Amino acid sequence: MGVKKNRAFMQEYVDAFSGKDKTAALIDKYVADEGLKEHILLFEAAFPRYEVIVEEMLFEGDMVALRGLARGRHEGNFMGLPPSGKEWEITMMVFYRVVDSKIVGFWVNADQLSLMQQLGAIPAPA
């Protein structure tokens, strides 16, 4: 896929997922990587309709780099934490490998410490 096709695919992917229900059928439409499928379902169960706000996307060959924010409300169990109803927002970067209009690989770096602090699992610094 060329950069132009990847750009259109990624915009469609973000628009389909951000702030919306992430069903297995929707995930299968865009994602071939089983690890990413599990990741999305884990977060969707804990933070239904979580949002991804894109601040920047870069394209090179079959790779896409996304820098932005993720935010949501803690409404389901997450890593042993019962639902708190707390809202959260974190910074993140994700690299995707896209082949034939499917995500076939991903690498994510998100501010998990801040997420756990916002959920009340870890004390925030004084």
Side-chain angles (χ1 to χ4, degrees), residues 1 11 19 25 38 52 62 71 79 99:
M1 280 178 73
Q11 189 61 58
E38 290 175 18
V52 172
D62 64 359
R71 66 178 170 213
M79 299 181 69
V99 175

Side-chain angles (χ1 to χ4, degrees), residues 24-72:
L26 179 65
I27 295 167
D28 285 341
K29 179 178 178 180
Y30 295 93
V31 180
D33 183 276
E34 291 300 320
L36 181 55
K37 288 179 182 183
E38 290 175 18
H39 177 81
I40 292 168
L41 290 171
L42 171 78
F43 270 77
E44 182 66 9
F47 314 110
R49 296 165 308 284
Y50 68 89
E51 295 179 85
V52 172
I53 296 88
V54 176
E55 294 181 333
E56 184 173 25
M57 276 197 285
L58 302 173
F59 301 86
E60 179 70 33
D62 64 359
M63 297 298 296
V64 178
L66 182 152
R67 182 182 62 80
L69 302 171
R71 66 178 170 213

Side-chain angles (χ1 to χ4, degrees), residues 10-120:
M10 288 305 297
Q11 189 61 58
E12 181 181 327
Y13 168 72
V14 170
D15 291 345
F17 279 70
S18 186
K20 299 181 178 100
D21 291 326
K22 294 152 195 73
T23 65
L26 179 65
I27 295 167
D28 285 341
K29 179 178 178 180
Y30 295 93
V31 180
D33 183 276
E34 291 300 320
L36 181 55
K37 288 179 182 183
E38 290 175 18
H39 177 81
I40 292 168
L41 290 171
L42 171 78
F43 270 77
E44 182 66 9
F47 314 110
R49 296 165 308 284
Y50 68 89
E51 295 179 85
V52 172
I53 296 88
V54 176
E55 294 181 333
E56 184 173 25
M57 276 197 285
L58 302 173
F59 301 86
E60 179 70 33
D62 64 359
M63 297 298 296
V64 178
L66 182 152
R67 182 182 62 80
L69 302 171
R71 66 178 170 213
R73 180 185 304 272
H74 185 202
E75 296 179 11
N77 290 321
F78 180 69
M79 299 181 69
L81 295 173
S84 66
K86 293 181 178 179
E87 293 186 4
W88 56 271
E89 181 176 284
I90 60 171
T91 58
M92 62 170 215
M93 290 189 316
V94 187
F95 288 83
Y96 298 99
R97 183 165 176 253
V98 179
V99 175
D100 296 328
S101 296
K102 288 274 191 172
I103 298 170
V104 299
F106 82 110
W107 301 264
V108 64
N109 185 351
D111 190 351
Q112 294 178 341
L113 175 60
S114 177
L115 174 61
M116 298 308 272
Q117 288 172 334
Q118 291 174 62
L119 297 180

